Amino acid sequence: AKTHRGEVAEQLSRFKQRNHRPNRLRCTWPYFAGFFDAEGSVGVDALTGGLHLEVWQVNPFVLEHLLRFLHQDGLKSWHFYQGNSCAKLRCYETATCKRTLERLLKNGLLVKKKQAELA
């Protein structure tokens, strides 16, 4: 019998495959906080001081689920982009970036906590 840890590791491995379509992915703010810690970035434009957030992933279907989750929560300034080697979610609207970071901080953001607090 597989352990829970083994099952989670196997699921994460499948997510890294470009064509894996997760059929029961439940997006929540704690899930997105962990995902953002692993795959996201916080940036500030040197000229304008504008804030931007990005999340990169090989598997576009996972990001599409996250995009629907963000839009359902009223964060409509997030957009999906598909590149040759990976897909990404981007937000360049500062107010939406700040609202997103506030929610991530309230829901367990750890690795990028300092960056989020400074933004």
Side-chain angles (χ1 to χ4, degrees):
K2 287 185 184 179
T3 65
H4 178 67
R5 185 181 206 99
E7 290 173 7
V8 170
E10 188 176 302
Q11 181 183 28
L12 289 173
S13 175
R14 283 194 304 268
F15 281 169
K16 293 180 186 246
Q17 298 171 6
R18 178 182 290 273
N19 57 0
H20 172 69
R21 290 181 182 259
N23 54 358
R24 287 183 300 194
L25 181 61
R26 186 171 163 256
C27 296
T28 62
W29 278 106
Y31 176 87
F32 186 48
F35 198 92
F36 191 85
D37 263 337
E39 309 289 347
S41 67
V42 178
V44 178
D45 186 283
L47 295 175
T48 65
L51 185 61
H52 63 270
L53 304 177
E54 294 184 336
V55 181
W56 300 74
Q57 176 70 13
V58 171
N59 186 318
F61 306 109
V62 173
L63 292 183
E64 289 170 353
H65 277 282
L66 287 169
L67 182 65
R68 279 193 295 278
F69 168 74
L70 292 166
H71 284 182
Q72 287 170 353
D73 207 23
L75 300 167
K76 305 280 187 187
S77 295
W78 278 92
H79 301 283
F80 176 85
Y81 298 90
Q82 177 67 59
N84 290 334
S85 60
C86 66
K88 62 184 162 185
L89 294 181
R90 281 180 156 175
C91 180
Y92 278 88
E93 202 268 315
T94 298
T96 299
C97 290
K98 287 186 177 198
R99 286 196 338 257
T100 302
L101 290 172
E102 287 170 6
R103 289 184 174 123
L104 291 172
L105 285 165
K106 288 179 184 174
N107 285 279
L109 190 69
L110 295 174
V111 176
K112 295 182 175 74
K113 182 177 180 176
K114 285 285 184 210
Q115 292 172 304
E117 289 172 341
L118 291 172

